[in-house]
Amino acid sequence: MNATTVPANLYAAVQKRRNRGLAGLYLVVAAFLVVYAVLFPGLLSVGGFSKFTQNWFPLALVTMAQALMMLNGGISLAIGPLVSLGAVIAAVTMGGTLGALGGLLAVSATGLFIGAVTGGIVAYLRLPAIIVTLAGSFIITGVALILLPRPGGYVPEWFSDLLAGHTPVAFGLLVLLLIGWKLYLATPLGVGIYAAGNNPVGAFRSGVPVERVKVFAFALSGLLAMLAGLFVAAQTGSGDPVIGTPFTLNSIAGAVLGGVAFLGGKGTMRGVICGSLLLSVMINVMFFLGFPPVAQYVAQGLIIVGAVAIPQLTSQWRTRP
Amino acid sequence: MNTVKAVFRNPPLLTLILVILVWIVASLTLRGFGAYGHLRYLLELSAVIGIAAAGQTLVILMGGIDLSVGAVITVTAILLPLISPDSDPSGLAGIVLTLGIASGIGLLNGVGAAYLKVPPIIMTLAMATFLQGMLVIIAGGSAVSVTNASVVWLGQARPFGVPAGVLLWLFVSIAMLVIIHRMPAGARFLALGANPLAARLSGISVRRDTLFLFTLSGFFAGLAGILILGMNRQGYVGIGDPYLLTSIAAVVLGGTSILGGRGTYAGTIPGAILLVTTTALITVVNASPGWRSIMFGSLILALLLISGREARR
């Protein structure tokens, strides 16, 4: 490679390399979307599009939250409980004096706080993230159960209509989030995620504040998961202390489908968004084809394994002499 | 001073000392905790976690994780009453069949991890999802009662005053310790976890060992499922769910590195007892489910800070 041309082409080269493994994913997602649009032409209307993106939105948020943890070389088993807690806090606070804005602030602050504390424990006390979030999931579930022992609470109707009504507000928020992610990646703490996840020792020696990068990424991850809970509360109009349970496994599945590596430092947010979209469309398509819920579980298991195994096998086959 | 340091460097011993301390303090302060019957009951409950965590220990030692343990326990607990042939009064045929199926599920996990190169966490997660779907087809959501004589004996009998489940756990523990520390296979598993590439280059058949490890994990989960079925007398969807996270927690509390390559089943044994004791103590406090959950999580976190820390860089 010619040294003088590197700065100009480096960005393009890096992007090309990062997209390489994702081409198959884009194709599969596109194919599923076409099938879905054929089965359910209403998708192409504003109302249908809004409803579809609203079903997808919380899954996209938790998958991004999980991806942030996995880019750091960890994995979170507390995503589901965080979603539940977000829904519970929203439903409990929004009836108070500060209303919807107060609820939004309370949910955001709690999410950032829990994430930062988890990140602090992982980064400074050097416990593995999977174990800390495992213990954390019990604590978070407990807090949610104390705040709201049974489903209930209140979310203002106008707030539900704004987020989960007949307008594609959720999709707009997702686009804003992706722009926010790009901006975050331009900061030292953002770009450090990849360095610290891929090679913590090397990153540390090159001056990346590895611990602070972790704490920030965990805090953002907590924020995203809790906001997903807020959105779920807006969708259902109330809070439920166990509503988030399925999100833990789905967030891992989405992130892995999106090509995030387990050992950290590899993966892109666009892949993650596509992964969560694939999972969401898959569930919808199977529902419309009249699959019983049982077959959905089975198919989901098979597709997840296939999505991970096929790229692995083809790359192996390609490199074989 | 040196002995104190040595204890802190030896997580299995540290966990064991923690268990003994907790038992002594609880026996002195709580009425009925130190009674022989109660302690025996705690050991019986620990046996289920301990056996389920045996396979988990092996998989974590080689650097993987098995998220299908809970699902396999549920599958065996529901399947066993259904497939035990009536023509066999001893019930052993049903047990052998069920353990075969559980091992087969583990083998499939191993095939995914070894040949399809799916990361173990994903392979076992997908397997758990898959099994969850199959269960609804098989059981249809209703609970099944066990009449199998051997299973009932395993869950209820007390030869020489010791519950059969605890004896089974003792047997599993000895087998595990021999495999890990006295057999070449154990050395290979640890090598795989410490550095898979180096292990492969030194002539270890990574594929064969991965298959073997996951098959064993399925087998032990099945064994735990049969034991809990015998203790419960009923199998239902969700019966194995609590054992997934507790099996991982027991392994890590015992000082085994979640990253693989370092650890021993000798730590998992007191780890399982510690978990059950913690739950029992929290039940004694008589708090609401929310507070109980918070206490359980905080205690695990505190225990981990003592025994489960990764090495500093």
Side-chain angles (χ1 to χ4, degrees), chain B residues 187-242:
Chain B
R188 290 206 306 269
F189 301 158
L190 284 163
L192 258 180
N195 189 338
L197 184 63
R200 188 163 61 92
L201 293 178
S202 17
I204 293 179
S205 169
V206 176
R207 281 181 171 169
R208 201 187 54 204
D209 280 356
T210 309
L211 285 184
F212 184 57
L213 280 171
F214 278 97
T215 310
L216 273 182
S217 184
F219 173 82
F220 282 126
L223 206 56
I226 292 176
L227 178 58
I228 194 172
L229 177 69
M231 288 164 62
N232 245 13
R233 294 286 196 103
Q234 264 195 340
Y236 49 88
V237 175
I239 191 174
D241 291 355

Side-chain angles (χ1 to χ4, degrees), chain B residues 118-139:
Chain B
V118 182
I121 189 166
I122 290 303
M123 186 60 217
T124 53
L125 175 65
M127 181 59 81
T129 316
F130 183 86
L131 292 177
Q132 207 177 346
M134 297 302 286
L135 269 177
V136 182
I137 300 178
I138 298 165

Side-chain angles (χ1 to χ4, degrees), chain A residues 131 138 142 249 256 262 294 316, chain B residues 117 121-122 125 133 137 293 304:
Chain A
I131 297 301
F138 288 104
L249 298 189
V256 171
F262 266 100
V294 174
Q316 216 177 15
Chain B
K117 307 267 175 207
I121 189 166
I122 290 303
L125 175 65
I137 300 178
S293 185
L304 283 170

Side-chain angles (χ1 to χ4, degrees), chain B residues 25 83 95 118 140 150 164 197 297 299 312:
Chain B
V25 171
I83 62 172
I95 291 184
V118 182
S150 302
L197 184 63
L299 275 171
R312 292 185 79 91

Side-chain angles (χ1 to χ4, degrees), chain B residues 129-201:
Chain B
T129 316
F130 183 86
L131 292 177
Q132 207 177 346
M134 297 302 286
L135 269 177
V136 182
I137 300 178
I138 298 165
S142 56
V144 286
S145 303
V146 64
T147 50
N148 186 313
S150 302
V151 176
V152 173
W153 181 86
L154 185 65
Q156 318 282 335
R158 298 213 171 102
F160 320 112
V162 184
V166 175
L167 288 178
L168 179 69
W169 188 25
L170 199 66
F171 182 70
V172 167
S173 303
I174 292 169
M176 283 288 294
L177 290 172
V178 169
I179 290 178
I180 296 176
H181 299 292
R182 285 285 175 270
M183 279 168 68
R188 290 206 306 269
F189 301 158
L190 284 163
L192 258 180
N195 189 338
L197 184 63
R200 188 163 61 92
L201 293 178

